[in-house]
Amino acid sequence: MEKLLLLGAEAIAQGAIDGGMSGIYAYPGTPSTEITEYVQNNKTAIERNIHRQWSANEKTAMEAALGMSYAGKRAMVCMKHVGLNVAADAFINSAITGVNGGLIVTVADDPSMHSSQNEQDSRFFGKFAMIPILEPSNQQEAYDLAYEGFDLSEKYKVPVLLRITTRLSHSRAGIERQPLKSENKISYPEDPIQFVLLPSNARKRYKGLLAIQSLLEQASENSDYNTYYPGRDKSLGIIACGIAHNYLLENFPGRNCPHPVLQIAQYPIPYSKIEKIVNECERILVLEDGYPFVEEQLRGFLEINSKIIGRLNGIIPRDGELNPDIVARALGKEVKIYHSVPEIVKNRPPELCSGCSHRDIYNALNETMLEFGKQKVFSDIGCYTLGALPPWNAINSCVDMGASITMAKGAADAGIRPSVAVIGDSTFTHSGMTALLDCVYENTPVTVIISDNSTTAMTGGQASHATGRLEEICIGLGVKPEHVRVLTPLPKYHDEMVKVLREELNYEGVSVIIPRRECIQTATKTKKEIKVKNVEVQS
Amino acid sequence: MKSDIILSGVGGQGIVSIAATISMAALENNLFIKQSEVHGMSQRGGAVQSHLRISQEEISSDLIPLGKADLIISVEPMESLRYLPWLSENGWLVTNTTPFINIPDYPDLKEILGEIEKLPHHIAINADEIARQVKSPRSSNMVMLGAASPFLDLPYGFLESGIKKIFGKKGEKVVQLNIDALKAGREFAIEHKKS
């Protein structure tokens, strides 16, 4: 079969389609966005009408995927690592309800925070939920594990966490496909109260989850993806998780590592294989792209296993993405650098695009705030977070999706006047609506600027649930119609924007200002592309 | 046959089109490929880079180790210098000389070109100008690929067929404009690599 050149993210999408998936649910988030986008544009997915529209947020996505699983069909839900925090309630409980159709929760972690607020490691969430975790080391394994993950989920009747990191998600390689499977037919759960987590039933379900733990451990022991490679030099044994295995082999010509190596791609940790390598070797180097998840479990609190080395003893930096050079140094190899970066090279941070509407609203806001004082603007996750950088220095917070409005509320409760929130349209419908309702409930004096570029811009211009209904949402939540003000953010309307901002900043109640102009990136896409997109949205 | 290549530029300059052409050429010829890209926030006018590895043998790491890149292809002169620690001892640096200035403290172009001149193996080419000369002003990235082609461990014909495969949908004319740009870049590099 012809090889496909796919990103790791796309390989997962293709694997899930070929594995008989009936629906994918997701909210865009780097580095996970391309999984769903691939399904949206895939011929088989379109022919089969696999569900592939975006969800409002990761929690709604997780729940909808669980609903599809309830109906007996195979579903995947995708998100970035911090998205799993949003979906956590549904995620943890889905392990207790168990599944009917196979359910894969794909989470893309972002060590080194290329595009994120933190570098949390989702494997902890998988362990917390007590479900199997799959961690592919390369694009082919990403395909294969997505393809086979549904079987694993259906065999043990629990969701499966598929964990990748940025590097695998955003790197291409050739992929060989497996035969296309048919989709599951609708079937109801055998037990009609399987999904009813009333305490009496939840206790039963939880005991069931505990009871299968030994089976999940056995599955890891027997997994073809947890491979023990013998080696003659037993002064060091290496445990390499996921993509770390590649960085290890990069350091040995011909991929011949002289040390025993245990490659881990399926969790729970395979106990006997670990026991074997630990007993055999003098020291154990643990390589993982993320937190010291395996290393910490092996060392234990009392550090009886002092022969375990890795991020916790400092031979590998405690934070940041792994790479072949870090692994080389941990192996005691020299990393040679022949050319250094000349001093004249300057930083080039990302910036708001030329012609972007956020620029105009920040210009107006900054001028207005001169009258009201500094450090009163709370913001959120999106392109507009770049307003924190020069030349604007316009915002004072960026914490999590939707937090701008709620933090502005808390600051207003504390007495800060005016208290301002700047949030994007897609972030608002993701997690800002309930925050606004809190403000309405108490008529808290906050000014919420929903900078509406009618797309999810930061991740590449996905559809926004807010498009065409923002005013109705705000008024429906109880904001007074006269305090919902729509502006056109263009330099020529600067004075008008300042005037409206001033009026609302002086108002002792909830006001919403909606500067609305389409994202310059989506606006400049060719007409043809836009046409294709519209057809897809309607299908 | 093995080439480890760093591609660099500024978000929005389209370095992925160069990577995609090389990868397509390599895939058609059953070589192993790893092509690491930047998505997300950095794409907004920030410094971007892509690690591209092609080989007859299986490739392990998606990232090229420091000091091991055979080639840096940069569509922007200052960005070409940012990734020098990855360049191997005898590696080539091939860069466009047209600056992309979107920061207030962008250094003097003469100083940048001076730093490039210090490298033992380099090609500095005004790809925008050459693209205009061959009447294909939007193909400066293909000029860059052409300029890098003598240093790629890949037969030149593979690149032309890669272009045909990628741009084929857009019609014969677009394919030809890109191939013209590729050739012009290649000729420039062959002429200048001896000096």
Side-chain angles (χ1 to χ4, degrees), chain A residues 23 74 103 105 121 129 166-167 210-211 240 260 287 361 382 405 413 416 433 437 475 480 511 532 534:
Chain A
R74 295 182 158 186
L103 175 59
V105 183
D121 188 325
T166 307
R167 199 54 60 186
L210 293 173
L287 302 174
I361 191 65
I405 300 177
D413 294 340
I416 285 183
M433 297 193 298
L437 186 59
I475 292 166
K480 294 194 178 95
S511 45
V532 171
N534 287 341

Side-chain angles (χ1 to χ4, degrees), chain B residues 16-53:
Chain B
V16 171
S17 69
I18 301 178
T21 310
I22 301 174
S23 295
M24 188 58 76
L27 190 73
E28 293 281 286
N29 291 281
N30 290 318
L31 297 173
F32 288 97
I33 305 155
K34 290 252 184 177
Q35 178 193 329
S36 167
E37 302 169 5
V38 172
H39 296 229
M41 190 174 250
S42 321
Q43 280 179 300
R44 300 273 172 269
V48 292
Q49 105 294 95
S50 169
H51 289 217
L52 176 59
R53 315 188 76 184

Side-chain angles (χ1 to χ4, degrees), chain A residues 34 171-172 255 348 351, chain B residues 35 37 44 62 79 100:
Chain A
E34 295 78 10
S171 176
R172 283 176 206 279
R255 296 162 64 88
R348 194 186 313 247
E351 58 171 10
Chain B
Q35 178 193 329
E37 302 169 5
R44 300 273 172 269
D62 298 85
E79 295 308 321
F100 187 100

